[in-house]
Structures are given as structure tokens and as C-alpha cells.
Amino acid sequence: MSSLVAGDEFNSLTAPATERKPLGPGAVLAIWVILTILLNAAIWVTGFVPSELNQAVDQGAARAEISRVGEVGDDVVRKAIHLQRDTLPFWTMLARLGDFVFEPLFLMGRAIAIATVFAALAALTGRPIGFTEGFRAASLAQGYWVLSLAVKVVLTIALRRSDVETSLALLLPPGTHHAALVVAIRQLDPFVMLGWFSLAWGGWRRHQVNLFMALFVCMMLATGETGLRLITSVVMGAGMRLSILPR
């Protein structure tokens, strides 16, 4: 009896431990979304974004005052300055939507889009579809974008500067540049480029697509995302310029 018990104990000790299942794509994306929100919150809490918005509104108020001095009465000037300052809550809300809503949506949309396109192409060409595996790999690759944001946040807080860049925008000469050019060049970030290459490489390694098609798909999706960011930034920038920097 004792030998039987001892044998049972020996078998339980030598039995392989239950393997832990890897995190699903939804859980991985949730982690990246939470980290993105926390990193952006750090920039807001430390005052860098509010300071930039306040500075822009103050500049608009000063310009409104200068443009109307000597032309209209003091009451009209004060009303123009007050109207300028009243725009601050609106632009603050838009900036918060960008940081806390649209950036997390970009993470999720990018992962879903690349997994869907690769799976669809695999189905059309008779290759392994592998949507679930591709979705998980695409979700993991979003960490490159989160890492890019983390580096910027850490450098911004450490250097006490809001103009920190990790992209090729560092190569732009000092001075004023068109907003579309700056937004486009900011997409040429080493972490972002590694992220897109990782997505393409993963699609090829899973045999869903060949390497050329994987690179082509990622390039098209990256171009589409850049275009969406360009349109949004230009429209918002034009609106801010018209409202807080009147001629």
C-alpha cells in the first residue's frame, strides 16, 4: 500500500506541468491600449500638451489684440481676446480624443487590417489562412508603436522639451515647415518601420503570402494610415490657425 502511494506521488511529481496558453490577440491589444493611454496621460499630467495649447491660444489672443488696436474700441478688442480664449476647451477636447481614443484605435485597426488582408490573400491563393495566428502576431507587433511612444514620452519628460523626435523629422532644418511634410516624415520612425517590417515578415513566415506581396501590403497600409493622419492633421491645423490665429 505504501509503495502504491509512493508510486502515485512519484508519478505526480514527474508528470509534465500544464502548459500555459499564450495570450490571445484581444488580451495583447488590451495591454498595448492601456500602455498607450497611460503614456499619453503622463504627457498630459506633466503639463506638456496643455502648455502647448495654452501657448497657441495666448499667441492667437495677442495677435487678435495687435490687429485691432487703433482700429476698434477697447471693448471690441477685449471681446476678441475673450473669444480666442474660449476656443481652448474645444481644442483641448480634440487633442484628448487624438491621444486617448484615436491612437488606441489605430493600434487595433492596424492589427485587424493586416491579419484580415493576409488571411484573405492566403485563401485566394490556396495557402494556409491562419487568421487567428496572424491576428495574434499582428497584435504583438503593435508593441513597436507603443515602444516608439514610450521613448518619446521618456525623453520629453527627462529633457523637459515637447519637441522631442525619434523620426527622420530630426533631419529637417530649423525653421517653419508645412504641416503635411512634418506629419509625413514623422511616420519614418525606426520603431514604426520595424513594426511594419515585422508584420510583413510574419505574414511570409506563416506562408500566408510571399515576401514581395507581404511588403507590398504593408506598404499600402502604411501609406493609407499616413494619408489619414495627414488629412486629420491638416484639417485640424487649418481650423486652429483660422480660429486662434486670425489674420
Side-chain angles (χ1 to χ4, degrees):
M1 187 72 170
S2 60
S3 61
L4 178 61
V5 174
D8 291 340
E9 290 178 352
F10 176 79
N11 290 334
S12 65
L13 290 174
T14 57
T18 304
E19 293 183 0
R20 294 183 179 180
K21 292 184 179 180
L23 290 176
V28 173
L29 282 176
I31 293 173
W32 296 143
V33 166
I34 292 172
L35 286 176
T36 298
I37 292 174
L38 291 177
L39 288 168
N40 282 322
I43 291 293
W44 280 87
V45 170
T46 49
F48 288 99
V49 177
S51 176
E52 287 186 343
L53 291 171
N54 277 309
Q55 184 178 358
V57 171
D58 288 341
Q59 184 180 357
R63 186 166 179 174
E65 182 179 7
I66 294 173
S67 64
R68 289 171 172 80
V69 169
E71 298 179 0
V72 295
D74 293 341
D75 290 341
V76 177
V77 173
R78 283 194 292 268
K79 183 177 180 180
I81 295 174
H82 183 69
L83 287 173
Q84 292 293 304
R85 300 192 186 283
D86 282 346
T87 63
L88 180 60
F90 174 72
W91 297 115
T92 300
M93 179 192 68
L94 285 185
R96 287 175 176 169
L97 284 175
D99 288 344
F100 300 111
V101 177
F102 293 117
E103 285 302 325
L105 285 177
F106 269 117
L107 292 174
M108 294 184 285
R110 194 182 299 117
I112 294 173
I114 199 71
T116 301
V117 172
F118 280 169
L121 290 174
L124 290 173
T125 56
R127 292 169 177 264
I129 297 176
F131 175 80
T132 302
E133 183 183 355
F135 187 21
R136 182 177 181 276
S139 301
L140 287 170
Q142 301 312 301
Y144 286 102
W145 280 266
V146 179
L147 180 59
S148 175
L149 176 61
V151 171
K152 292 177 184 177
V153 170
V154 170
L155 290 177
T156 297
I157 296 175
L159 300 177
R160 304 299 300 175
R161 294 181 56 178
S162 59
D163 58 347
V164 170
E165 282 289 346
T166 59
S167 67
L168 293 187
L170 287 169
L171 303 179
L172 289 174
T176 303
H177 304 280
H178 196 279
L181 174 64
V182 175
V183 173
I185 293 182
R186 280 179 176 170
Q187 303 310 305
L188 300 177
D189 182 292
F191 300 104
V192 172
M193 295 171 72
L194 280 173
W196 285 114
F197 181 77
S198 173
L199 291 171
W201 186 262
W204 174 66
R205 288 292 300 274
R206 291 188 300 274
H207 306 290
Q208 292 177 296
V209 290
N210 60 48
L211 185 57
F212 173 80
M213 182 58 67
L215 292 171
F216 178 77
V217 167
C218 288
M219 185 178 67
M220 289 296 99
L221 290 175
T223 301
E225 180 180 333
T226 300
L228 182 59
R229 289 181 183 273
L230 276 175
I231 294 172
T232 305
S233 299
V234 169
V235 170
M236 287 185 59
M240 290 187 72
R241 185 168 183 82
L242 288 174
S243 62
I244 68 177
L245 293 175
R247 293 185 180 275

